[in-house]
């Protein structure tokens, strides 16, 4: 069976029903995206063809990471996220909008449930991005302006934090809306956090390091003169 036949087969078996919890999450997601809507970032994106191509490539890479997942039980999936690189390249507001694409593909092609898009986007991606941005923003203002501090706070630490908050929030949502009990989630899902947080942190930290060295202009708020010695002389 070809790839397109497999995709077509998955699309024909999608459950399009929405539970009350799914609809509630959808309303919360719409309100949140309306509140944070990145009007300026969207305007800049529409005028910059290179940035559009970079966003598409990054979303394809994120989607590939999500497709390489391990299914534990129904609705319990383990995969790397790559969201910190997306956030550091395009800002947390635009990243929160753009992540809907990999979330939708993952929900439809892997989980097979359309109603799963909103809660997984909200609790598995958007809120972890906001938590990560908040911690990073505080670190930017309170910690020394040092390149290694930037790489640790913006990349390594933030990526681990995103994965931890992703699993805790998603597991808590399943506990509130499904038949999962807390002890089952702890034993089969939350116990995997220490095993996944470090590789996620390392993956994003290495990617961010490469961007800082070779393509700093691709990063959303990185400025040479803030971190590099004699950076004010660099173009």
């Amino acid at each position: 069976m070809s790839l397109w036949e497999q995709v077509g087969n998955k699309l024909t078996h999608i459950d399009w029903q929405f539970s009350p919890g799914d609809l509630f999450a959808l309303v919360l997601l719409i309100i949140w995206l309306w509140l944070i809507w990145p009007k300026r970032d969207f305007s800049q994106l529409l005028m910059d063809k290179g940035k559009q191509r970079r966003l598409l490539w990054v979303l394809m890479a994120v989607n590939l990471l999500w497709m390489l997942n391990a299914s534990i039980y129904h609705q319990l999936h383990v995969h790397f996220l790559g969201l910190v690189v997306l956030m550091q390249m395009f800002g947390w507001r635009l990243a929160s909008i753009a992540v809907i694409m990999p979330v939708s593909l993952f929900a439809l092609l892997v989980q097979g449930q359309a109603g799963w898009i909103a809660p997984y986007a909200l609790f598995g991606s958007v809120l972890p991005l906001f938590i990560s941005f908040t911690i990073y923003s505080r670190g930017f203002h309170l910690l020394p302006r040092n390149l290694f501090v930037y790489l640790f706070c913006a990349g390594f630490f933030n990526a681990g934090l995103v994965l931890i908050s992703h699993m805790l929030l998603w597991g808590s949502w399943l506990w509130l809306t499904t038949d999962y009990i807390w002890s089952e989630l702890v034993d089969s899902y939350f116990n995997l956090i220490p095993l996944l947080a470090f590789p996620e942190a390392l993956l994003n930290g290495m990617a961010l390091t490469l961007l800082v060295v070779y393509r700093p202009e691709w990063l959303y708020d990185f400025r040479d003169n803030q971190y590099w010695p004699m950076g004010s002389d660099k173009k």
Side-chain angles (χ1 to χ4, degrees):
M1 183 180 294
S2 67
L3 175 61
W4 292 111
E5 290 176 339
Q6 295 180 31
V7 172
N9 184 57
K10 288 181 177 294
L11 291 176
T12 58
H13 291 86
I14 293 175
D15 182 2
W16 295 96
Q17 295 183 348
F18 290 78
S19 69
D22 296 333
L23 295 174
F24 177 68
L26 179 60
V27 172
L28 291 179
L29 179 63
I30 292 173
I31 294 174
W32 179 255
L33 296 182
W34 176 73
L35 291 173
I36 69 166
W37 191 260
K39 184 178 180 180
R40 186 190 67 176
D41 292 339
F42 260 122
S43 298
Q44 294 176 350
L45 181 65
L46 292 175
M47 294 185 296
D48 190 336
K49 297 294 185 181
K51 192 172 184 178
Q52 293 173 22
R53 289 192 294 269
R54 291 196 297 273
L55 178 59
L56 179 60
W57 281 108
V58 172
L59 288 176
M60 290 174 61
V62 169
N63 189 67
L64 179 61
L65 280 177
W66 289 27
M67 291 299 176
L68 301 174
N69 79 97
S71 179
I72 305 173
Y73 296 109
H74 180 61
Q75 293 185 323
L76 290 180
H77 294 273
V78 175
H79 58 84
F80 294 121
L81 301 173
L83 294 181
V84 163
V85 173
L86 179 66
M87 180 182 74
Q88 292 299 332
M89 289 184 67
F90 302 100
W92 75 273
R93 294 174 184 269
L94 184 56
S96 298
I97 307 297
V99 78
I100 302 300
M101 173 187 159
V103 166
S104 300
L105 291 176
F106 186 75
L108 296 175
L109 299 181
V110 176
Q111 187 65 23
Q113 291 184 316
W116 200 60
I117 295 175
Y120 199 65
L122 182 63
F123 298 103
S125 301
V126 174
L127 291 182
L129 277 173
F130 177 69
I131 293 172
S132 176
F133 167 75
T134 302
I135 300 299
Y136 162 67
S137 178
R138 289 299 85 205
F140 178 82
H141 292 289
L142 299 176
L143 297 177
R145 301 292 176 83
N146 181 281
L147 180 62
F148 296 102
V149 173
Y150 172 81
L151 290 174
F152 180 79
C153 292
F156 189 90
F157 178 77
N158 255 1
L161 181 64
V162 165
L163 186 132
I164 292 170
S165 57
H166 162 87
M167 296 185 70
L168 289 177
L169 287 170
W170 180 243
S172 299
W173 171 258
L174 293 179
W175 176 61
L176 291 172
T177 59
T178 67
D179 295 332
Y180 282 108
I181 59 176
W182 189 256
S183 59
E184 184 180 10
L185 289 168
V186 170
D187 291 338
S188 61
Y189 192 55
F190 295 149
N191 280 342
L192 296 175
I193 290 177
L195 299 176
L196 295 170
F198 181 78
E200 176 73 20
L202 186 62
L203 177 67
N204 286 265
M206 291 175 61
L208 190 60
T209 301
L210 291 174
L211 287 169
V212 166
V213 174
Y214 295 106
R215 288 291 185 270
E217 67 276 10
W218 288 1
L219 296 172
Y220 186 75
D221 61 357
F222 181 85
R223 301 295 181 270
D224 284 344
N225 58 6
Q226 293 177 338
Y227 298 101
W228 288 106
M230 304 301 292
S232 59
D233 295 333
K234 296 184 66 173
K235 299 297 182 181

